[in-house]
Amino acid sequence: MGTGGRGRHARGPRFSWRMLLHPLRSQEEGTAPAGIVLVVVLVALLVAAVLNADATLRKSNAAGEGWRNEVAQVVADVSGTLRLTSLRNRADEALGKNTTTDIDVADLLAEQQAEQAADPEAADPEAEAAAEAAEAEAAAAQAEADRLAALEPDLPAATPAAPLSMYIGGDSIARDFGQAMQRVATATGVIAPTLDYRAATGLSRPDFFNWPEHLVRDVVPTNPQLVVLQFGANDSQNFTIDGRPVERLSEEWLTEYRRRVAATMDLLQSPDNQRLVVWVGAPIMGPGSGVKGMDLLNQIYWEESQSRPWVSYFDTYPFLADANMAYVDTAIYADGQSRELRQSDKVHLSAAGGSRLAWGVIDLITETVDLSAGNVEPPPSEAAPPEVSPRDELPPPAPA
């Protein structure tokens, strides 16, 4: 066998990367060799993998695939080390694409609120006006609360050695109640009372007896520390305004009467808050008594006292009526016995009825003044049962 035979049976040409640079078969002019195309695709995939290494790692972690996570982590580390991912980030920023950060949601909210506050278009003028109005209203309410708190009575504690002075005044109802009030106040041992009643008087007819003038000229100068007043039984009558008659209990009448009540309360205010005024409501009147409108007058007394810290209103109805606030002649006392509350005219109080109110007034005073050094526990035979107490709020009077 010659050399030529060995040539015919020799191995074919070995594979070389150079072959990728040449077409493996005939190609038309203007086309790229298949090898070149393959290389370009592989390089593009490699570049994309490197540039998107961070995104690939996040997706892989989210999918929870173990070995793929490791591969993605290696690629991301290499890309991060070579700072190749920064090219992708810059491209995203140039295109306006969002890039994620680890900013906290609270910081995002603060940024958003700051931007809205700085952006006049984002602000709601109506909402801002409402907020400012609410703020001003709250400030005004707080200022009024502070003003009223500064007017609350600040009396010293009553002691046998230094009893508090008490003035008791009013109409003929105040006579029956006042006599009991004088006795009960004296029994405490820490109050020194004075009674001053005027029959057939009130606030309606200053031409007959002017109570405001009497109080400011004759009573206030004596500087009583406790003032207890009761009006109403004689006030439900016509009076005049500027010489013109006004019908009793009409809207105009009630408006004028409220003005007189408010002014009388103001006259009794102590400049140094060293006085407590107890305004005792008119009692409920019996059927056939001819006395009407006490619920309307009491509503005025109670409402006007609410804005005057130095005035405490005492609600008489629960002490002289049944559970439905209806008139009764008798009632059960703390000792379980029933006693007469009123005289035969169903207007004036009996002695027992007066005592029942007087001890209630003492209990009311203890809410503001320290009377603990005295005897403020009423005898059961003179006081209402514990469940009887003034109402926290007076309901609107029933229509006439």
Side-chain angles (χ1 to χ4, degrees), residues 68-280:
R68 293 185 181 180
N69 290 354
E70 296 178 1
V71 174
Q73 184 64 58
V74 171
V75 175
D77 291 343
V78 172
S79 179
T81 301
L82 299 178
R83 297 186 178 180
L84 298 178
T85 53
S86 62
L87 298 175
R88 169 64 182 272
N89 295 336
R90 291 176 182 176
D92 286 343
E93 292 177 1
L95 295 175
K97 295 183 178 180
N98 184 38
T99 55
T100 184
T101 68
D102 60 352
I103 186 171
D104 185 75
V105 63
D107 296 331
L108 288 173
L109 179 60
E111 288 182 4
Q112 181 190 57
Q113 292 174 341
E115 291 174 358
Q116 291 176 347
D119 183 4
E121 295 183 358
D124 184 349
E126 293 185 0
E128 287 185 356
E132 291 176 359
E135 202 173 301
E137 184 178 352
Q142 184 60 51
E144 178 64 10
D146 294 342
R147 184 187 73 82
L148 293 178
L151 299 177
E152 292 180 359
D154 184 20
L155 277 69
T159 65
L164 297 179
S165 58
M166 172 185 281
Y167 171 84
I168 308 165
D171 54 22
S172 59
I173 301 292
R175 176 197 62 200
D176 307 322
F177 156 71
Q179 290 171 348
M181 187 76 249
Q182 189 176 31
R183 178 180 58 81
V184 166
T186 302
T188 66
V190 292
I191 298 176
T194 299
L195 176 59
D196 177 26
Y197 67 87
R198 308 298 171 103
T201 65
L203 299 179
S204 290
R205 296 290 303 276
D207 57 320
F208 177 70
F209 185 81
N210 193 323
W211 269 103
E213 182 181 19
H214 173 58
L215 291 171
V216 76
R217 295 187 185 279
D218 304 324
V219 178
V220 170
T222 66
N223 200 27
Q225 294 162 296
L226 300 171
V227 173
V228 181
L229 296 175
Q230 187 178 44
F231 300 112
N234 302 300
D235 281 343
S236 182
Q237 59 177 295
N238 297 347
F239 54 54
T240 61
I241 300 179
D242 298 329
R244 177 173 49 84
V246 178
E247 184 179 356
R248 65 173 181 168
L249 304 181
S250 65
E251 287 298 323
E252 185 179 11
W253 190 99
L254 292 171
T255 299
E256 172 61 18
Y257 190 80
R258 180 185 294 273
R259 185 190 68 81
R260 297 181 187 185
V261 169
T264 302
M265 290 180 176
D266 290 341
L267 288 174
L268 294 170
Q269 181 186 6
S270 168
D272 55 2
N273 296 333
Q274 291 289 304
R275 179 179 301 127
L276 172 65
V277 177
V278 178
W279 199 288
V280 181

Side-chain angles (χ1 to χ4, degrees), residues 287-307:
S289 66
V291 181
K292 301 182 182 299
M294 296 303 98
D295 54 345
L296 292 170
L297 304 189
N298 286 339
Q299 186 77 17
I300 291 175
Y301 304 149
W302 175 72
E303 289 179 354
E304 293 303 318
S305 70
Q306 298 306 295
S307 60

